[in-house]
Amino acid sequence: MRKSLLLTLTILGLVIGWAQINYTYHYWFGNDYDGGKDGTLTSESSRVNVDIASLPEGVHAVHFQISDGDTLSSVKSCFFLKDH
């Protein structure tokens, strides 16, 4: 679990809608928006596994944003400590 951090991002707080709607998300570390990852969520209770293996030890920020195709959510950020 130390090599990869399972960040459980509660989608219920980010998105309100029907479970049949597909949502896209984008997450990134620090200020590296362009180096972030994209994906698709198909339910309000989906989880996103965030791979932190390539990050050095220390304090980091992960930022997360969801879109329903028309509207972007506000950015949600979480700080975490990666240690050995």
Side-chain angles (χ1 to χ4, degrees):
M1 190 84 131
R2 297 280 182 185
K3 289 187 179 180
S4 69
L5 174 64
L6 171 65
L7 289 179
T8 303
L9 300 173
T10 305
I11 304 308
L12 292 175
L14 298 173
V15 176
I16 298 174
W18 304 105
Q20 291 79 17
I21 297 174
N22 288 331
Y23 298 97
T24 58
Y25 66 85
H26 183 76
Y27 73 86
W28 65 98
F29 297 104
N31 295 325
D32 189 16
Y33 180 87
D34 292 332
K37 308 276 183 179
D38 297 311
T40 302
L41 302 171
T42 56
S43 125
E44 292 180 26
S45 62
S46 292
R47 293 181 179 185
V48 176
N49 293 326
V50 177
D51 182 13
I52 64 165
S54 63
L55 295 177
E57 291 184 12
V59 176
H60 299 277
V62 61
H63 309 285
F64 190 81
Q65 191 170 37
I66 294 177
S67 172
D68 66 1
D70 296 322
T71 306
L72 286 173
S73 72
S74 59
V75 175
K76 302 296 181 182
S77 299
C78 178
F79 292 91
F80 63 95
L81 174 66
K82 180 182 178 188
D83 60 1
H84 55 273

